[in-house]
Amino acid sequence: MDEVFLTLNAGSSSIKFSVFLNQEKLIEKIQGQVENIGPTARLIYKHIGEEKNIIEIGAANHKTALQEIFSRGISSLGGDNITGIGHRIAHGGIDFTKPVKLSKPIIEKLRLLESLAPLHQPHNLKGIEAAQEAFPDAFQIGCFDTAFHRNHDWVNDTFALPRRFYEKGIRRYGFHGLSYDFITSELAKTEPALAKSRVIIAHLGNGASMCGVKEGRSIASTMGFSPLDGLPMGTRCGQLDPGVLLYLMENENMMASEISDLLYKKSGLLGLSGMTNDMRALTSTDKPEAKQALSYYATRTRREIGAMAALLQGVDGLIFCGGIGENSAPMRKMIVNGLEFLGLELDETANLKNNREIGKGKTRILAIKTDEERIIARALREFYSPNS
Ligand code: AMP
């Protein structure tokens, strides 16, 4: 019988899942998610190559959402067949530099990291608990979004704070590592010359970051200690003068929880536009606030491309991925506009068609669909059949 792998990515308001069969190759069979966890939750899933199913489930919390995934989303496989479950985990701290088998002591260590990613880690761990309860015999592993960045040189790993804070773990961890891992593995397969050179990968989704990669290795990330830093995002602020935080505390009497809510959920494209964080909606309206929000997004992203190019001492390729990077031709155009000095020039027709190759300058520009779930499934396969 085939081994069946389930990947779970439990976020604050959604749980994404995929099912793979571990055959000669990894074959993806089902993809889906529960979104809007709460009273209006919906289970959306499809068997690959078939129509989507959408079911209103009104799941109240993560546990019931997972139960719906197990009982309906993947029921056609028969729950008993799930042999391995891989969890996406936001934070691996200093110690977790590769996927790990999830045992009780490991989970306790991961719990200690909750304060480092308060809006992600607790949900990731809830997903693990529910999956262990539902599939006590399945082999379960954790894959970390920070792991891809753990070999940064010290200068790109530290803040200019007294050294004791670095020793305590206040470092630039970087995130979106599973996505960067997938993109670099795609480049190694399909673009070997580019894979051995200097590339900037821009993961632009609701969360957004950029990674400088030299010869397949991450040298720097725009995200830092938390998934708030760097590029502006759907609802997160990106880079912010820490003086603003002091001001909000001292003059606006804001508590940490209120500031957290402001920076994670009410800022970025949503805060700047006052309308929405949906890139499709923002690029199809003429409202001046939307235009300003887009301009800020593009300008900060372009600025970080320049910074990454400086760290890499040049750039041979720019790769876009994530919901915006893969699909938003207007935003890609705004970002690349003015970067001809780095050899970055868009082929307008290819860009509009959402082609894979969208550049026409000296420096390659590609849009590649990322697949974090496949990276988790590959890690499970490594545990099962390390030499395959
Ligand atoms: P993600 O978090 O990777 O799912 O990305 C979510 C973001 O991608 C949202 O801002 C969406 O508006 C944007 N997005 C998704 N599909 C498209 C599309 N076809 N065109 C433009 N933006 C898109």
Side-chain angles (χ1 to χ4, degrees):
M1 204 162 53
D2 286 327
E3 280 156 358
V4 182
F5 295 160
L6 171 67
T7 69
L8 285 176
N9 177 359
S12 54
S13 62
S14 71
I15 302 175
K16 293 187 181 149
F17 63 95
S18 283
V19 174
F20 290 82
L21 298 186
N22 186 24
Q23 298 180 340
E24 200 175 326
K25 283 182 173 176
L26 281 167
I27 313 284
E28 191 168 22
K29 296 296 283 183
I30 303 176
Q31 250 176 20
Q33 64 173 313
V34 173
E35 59 176 33
N36 296 336
I37 291 178
T40 59
R42 300 196 305 172
L43 169 66
I44 304 172
Y45 70 96
K46 66 170 186 183
H47 288 252
I48 302 299
E50 294 177 19
E51 291 287 302
K52 253 189 211 167
N53 301 284
I54 302 178
I55 307 174
E56 307 289 334
I57 56 172
N61 56 37
H62 282 70
K63 195 169 170 181
T64 42
L66 270 168
Q67 281 161 357
E68 293 286 348
I69 291 173
F70 298 146
S71 64
R72 298 208 235 192
I74 59 175
S75 57
S76 59
L77 292 164
D80 290 340
N81 289 341
I82 301 276
T83 37
I85 303 180
H87 299 265
R88 179 180 181 180
I89 301 178
H91 221 301
I94 300 166
D95 296 331
F96 294 102
T97 56
K98 54 180 197 235
V100 64
K101 181 173 182 223
L102 292 168
S103 61
K104 256 201 172 145
I106 296 280
I107 293 169
E108 284 321 305
K109 272 191 167 184
L110 294 174
R111 214 174 288 290
L112 297 177
L113 300 172
E114 281 189 343
S115 59
L116 297 184
L119 294 186
H120 296 84
Q121 197 87 344
H123 301 298
N124 303 156
L125 296 184
K126 270 189 214 153
I128 295 173
E129 271 167 23
Q132 286 187 327
E133 212 174 287
F135 297 98
D137 299 328
F139 183 82
Q140 310 218 13
I141 66 166
C143 299
F144 302 96
D145 261 325
T146 47
F148 189 71
H149 307 292
R150 290 315 305 137
N151 287 321
H152 287 176
D153 289 345
W154 177 82
V155 284
N156 289 322
D157 195 38
T158 193
F159 296 99
L161 291 170
R163 298 188 82 97
R164 66 179 183 281
F165 291 105
Y166 181 79
E167 300 312 326
K168 281 183 166 177
I170 299 187
R171 303 183 183 194
R172 292 183 196 274
Y173 290 99
F175 297 85
H176 287 138
L178 302 179
S179 175
Y180 296 131
D181 202 347
F182 178 80
I183 298 292
T184 49
S185 74
E186 272 300 288
L187 290 180
K189 250 195 271 168
T190 57
E191 307 279 351
L194 202 52
K196 289 196 191 97
S197 60
R198 301 158 299 183
V199 294
I200 298 172
I201 308 174
H203 178 110
L204 309 180
N206 247 330
S209 74
M210 203 178 278
C211 180
V213 177
K214 202 172 203 168
E215 294 170 16
R217 183 173 85 90
S218 166
I219 62 142
S221 159
T222 55
M223 274 184 176
F225 177 67
S226 72
L228 275 178
D229 200 7
L231 309 179
M233 305 174 217
T235 60
R236 290 176 238 163
C237 58
Q239 190 273 331
L240 184 74
D241 177 349
V244 174
L245 304 183
L246 299 177
Y247 179 90
L248 294 177
M249 285 189 283
E250 286 171 6
N251 295 69
E252 301 271 329
N253 296 321
M254 285 177 78
M255 317 263 293
S257 57
E258 292 171 297
I259 295 179
S260 169
D261 195 50
L262 174 76
L263 304 185
Y264 274 99
K265 297 183 179 164
K266 299 193 172 135
S267 299
L269 290 171
L270 174 65
L272 284 172
S273 70
M275 293 165 54
T276 175
N277 58 323
D278 186 333
M279 185 56 78
R280 280 165 293 202
L282 291 170
T283 47
S284 50
T285 168
D286 283 332
K287 292 228 167 88
E289 293 83 359
K291 291 207 173 312
Q292 283 186 326
L294 295 174
S295 172
Y296 184 86
Y297 188 96
T299 304
R300 298 299 308 199
T301 306
R302 193 181 318 116
R303 179 173 155 154
E304 291 296 334
I305 292 173
M308 281 297 171
L311 285 178
L312 290 165
Q313 298 176 340
V315 52
D316 303 295
L318 170 64
I319 321 294
F320 285 105
C321 64
I324 295 168
E326 290 160 25
N327 301 299
S328 182
M331 181 40 72
R332 286 191 303 244
K333 183 174 170 186
M334 286 180 78
I335 292 170
V336 175
N337 186 19
L339 291 177
E340 294 80 7
F341 75 100
L342 289 174
L344 290 162
E345 228 179 310
L346 273 182
D347 174 331
E348 300 249 353
T349 316
N351 185 45
L352 278 175
K353 283 190 190 158
N354 278 325
N355 284 357
R356 186 175 195 270
E357 184 98 41
I358 53 176
K360 62 174 185 187
K362 176 169 75 56
T363 305
R364 306 270 305 276
I365 311 178
L366 303 172
I368 300 181
K369 185 169 168 25
T370 196
D371 191 349
E372 290 149 319
E373 282 67 34
R374 189 165 287 273
I375 288 295
I376 300 174
R378 280 183 195 158
L380 275 165
R381 186 176 165 91
E382 272 293 303
F383 275 96
Y384 272 84
S385 36
N387 300 318
S388 64

